[in-house]
């Protein structure tokens, strides 16, 4: 049924469970996996651009600050890529063909766009359980994906994983008609 599974991960506690859930499905369906991480400014741990509030900074100091920021971004990006490669390696050890993708942008939009272009049958994402105002202010990647995905979506609930149990599917949504 599912032959191409796109799994979206970040570096949160939830990601390991999301990856394991996707890996279980991929093994059961003999599917291949695309492991995606979307880099964005809102991501915890992402380098922050230097704040230059006035013209008091010399151009040399300003250039130095921006150079430092670019170096921090390169290190951050390399760390994320190394993480993705380690997940590809784990999948391969389990007999699942996998590749990875590191992209920039709005996570929900990038996930849906890649699912469309890669022709994914299933997207696996985590759900932290935000609701109400938290979801409004913090956003919800899983909610965005559930409503705009070109294929079925499996969400892995964060609270389930914190209790120490196996990842469980909370919601599977069929693509919009």
């Amino acid at each position: 049924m599912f032959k191409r599974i796109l799994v979206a991960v970040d570096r949160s506690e939830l990601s390991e469970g999301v990856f394991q859930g996707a890996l279980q499905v991929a093994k059961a369906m003999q599917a291949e996996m695309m492991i995606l991480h979307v880099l964005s400014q809102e991501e915890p741990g992402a380098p922050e651009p230097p704040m230059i509030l006035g013209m008091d900074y010399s151009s040399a100091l300003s250039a130095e600050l921006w150079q430092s920021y670019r170096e921090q971004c390169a290190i951050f990006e390399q760390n994320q890529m190394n993480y993705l490669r380690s997940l590809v390696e784990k999948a391969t050890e389990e007999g699942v063909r996998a590749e990875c993708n590191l992209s920039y942008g709005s996570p929900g939009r990038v996930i849906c766009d890649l699912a469309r272009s890669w022709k994914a049958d299933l997207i696996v994402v985590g759900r932290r359980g935000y609701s109400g105002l938290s979801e409004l202010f913090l956003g919800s990647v899983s909610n965005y994906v559930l409503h705009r995905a070109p294929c079925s979506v499996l969400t892995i609930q964060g609270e389930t994983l914190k209790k120490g149990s196996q990842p469980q599917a909370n919601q599977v949504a069929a693509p919009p008609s």
Side-chain angles (χ1 to χ4, degrees):
M1 179 174 183
F2 300 119
K3 294 296 175 194
R4 295 173 69 88
I5 299 171
L6 174 62
V7 55
V9 297
D10 56 19
R11 296 297 293 267
S12 69
E13 299 171 357
L14 179 57
S15 278
E16 183 61 29
V18 171
F19 172 75
Q20 289 300 325
L23 187 58
Q24 289 174 10
V25 173
K27 285 169 58 176
M29 298 286 174
Q30 297 177 339
E32 63 182 298
M33 287 176 38
M34 169 70 74
I35 306 165
L36 169 67
H37 178 76
V38 182
L39 294 170
S40 71
Q41 280 302 117
E42 294 79 36
E43 183 176 358
E48 292 187 28
M51 296 277 291
I52 301 176
L53 300 174
M55 295 301 198
D56 296 325
Y57 291 104
S58 71
S59 61
L61 179 57
S62 178
E64 229 176 89
L65 289 171
W66 281 106
Q67 179 60 31
S68 173
Y69 171 68
R70 284 191 293 274
E71 289 168 3
Q72 291 171 21
C73 286
I75 292 167
F76 186 72
E77 183 177 330
Q78 187 59 51
N79 288 339
Q80 304 312 318
M81 195 64 199
N82 291 342
Y83 173 65
L84 288 176
R85 287 184 183 127
S86 74
L87 295 179
V88 167
E89 194 174 294
K90 287 179 185 179
T92 303
E93 289 170 0
E94 295 285 329
V96 173
R97 196 168 124 214
E99 57 186 295
C100 62
N101 184 303
L102 183 66
S103 296
Y104 288 92
S106 171
R109 181 172 289 135
V110 171
I111 291 166
C112 290
D113 289 348
L114 182 58
R116 195 171 289 107
S117 67
W118 189 65
K119 296 180 177 38
D121 303 308
L122 176 68
I123 299 171
V124 181
V125 293
R127 181 174 180 274
R128 289 185 173 79
Y130 295 141
S131 62
L133 289 177
S134 295
E135 184 174 17
L136 177 66
F137 290 116
L138 298 174
S140 172
V141 173
S142 60
N143 189 41
Y144 182 98
V145 172
L146 278 168
H147 288 92
R148 292 171 181 82
C151 59
S152 296
V153 176
L154 170 65
T155 60
I156 306 291
Q157 176 64 36
E159 288 302 311
T160 302
L161 296 174
K162 287 180 184 173
K163 295 174 186 166
S165 63
Q166 288 294 318
Q168 294 182 14
N170 275 13
Q171 193 167 5
V172 176
S177 357

